[in-house]
């Protein structure tokens, strides 16, 4: 997204081509993420009984929503950003209640949520 904006600012002739390709990639990414999110939401999360599994699947949903939000021109205002926030919050609450502080899944969740806060919301973490 930033590269396209820079190309436009410089008046490069290929800016239109870059934007078209960006939109193509964004569409493909969004479709793959939506399919992964739906698989987790409908098929995997309802069957997950262990806290580790539930936290992992909620983190996975947050991650895929974050991928969509990173490519969405609306950024932090997008529906994907809001869905990522919700998934990360649910995963964090469960991880804090049920997983040890040094549990690998909990650590991965903390890292990925920090990426969300930094890259999507622009917060310093």
């Amino acid at each position: 997204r930033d590269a396209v904006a820079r190309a436009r600012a410089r008046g490069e002739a290929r800016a239109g081509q870059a934007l078209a390709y960006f939109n193509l990639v964004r569409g493909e990414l969004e479709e793959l993420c939506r399919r992964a999110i739906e698989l987790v939401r409908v098929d995997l999360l309802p069957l997950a009984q262990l806290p580790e599994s539930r936290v992992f699947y909620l983190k996975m949903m947050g991650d895929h929503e974050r991928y969509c939000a990173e490519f969405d021109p609306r950024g932090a205002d997008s529906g994907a950003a809001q869905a990522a926030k919700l998934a990360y919050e649910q995963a964090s609450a469960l991880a804090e209640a049920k997983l040890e502080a040094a549990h690998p899944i909990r650590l991965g969740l903390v890292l990925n949520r920090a990426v969300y806060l930094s890259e999507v919301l622009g917060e310093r973490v």
Side-chain angles (χ1 to χ4, degrees):
R1 179 173 46 185
D2 294 338
V4 173
R6 285 192 305 270
R8 278 194 167 162
R10 290 191 305 260
E12 292 183 18
R14 294 187 190 173
Q17 290 174 326
L19 180 60
Y21 186 67
F22 173 82
N23 287 330
L24 174 72
V25 171
R26 184 177 74 191
E28 290 176 1
L29 172 77
E30 196 165 301
E31 172 62 24
L32 290 170
C33 287
R34 293 284 155 233
R35 288 171 48 196
I37 292 163
E38 191 69 9
L39 174 69
V40 171
R41 190 179 62 77
V42 172
D43 296 326
L44 301 174
L45 192 56
L47 298 177
Q49 295 179 10
L50 297 175
E52 291 90 347
S53 299
R54 294 192 64 77
V55 170
F56 178 81
Y57 290 139
L58 288 165
K59 180 188 89 58
M60 187 175 175
M61 288 176 61
D63 292 344
H64 284 77
E65 293 287 3
R66 174 174 53 89
Y67 304 149
C68 290
E70 288 174 343
F71 272 79
D72 193 310
R74 295 169 295 172
D77 295 328
S78 69
Q82 298 308 311
K85 178 183 178 184
L86 180 62
Y88 283 138
E89 286 174 349
Q90 290 175 345
S92 295
L94 183 58
E96 289 172 15
K98 300 289 184 176
L99 301 181
E100 295 291 328
H103 192 286
I105 294 173
R106 185 171 172 182
L107 294 173
L109 169 63
V110 170
L111 174 64
N112 290 18
R113 187 172 186 208
V115 170
Y116 162 77
L117 294 171
S118 175
E119 296 297 320
V120 176
L121 301 185
E123 295 180 10
R124 289 190 55 111
V125 289

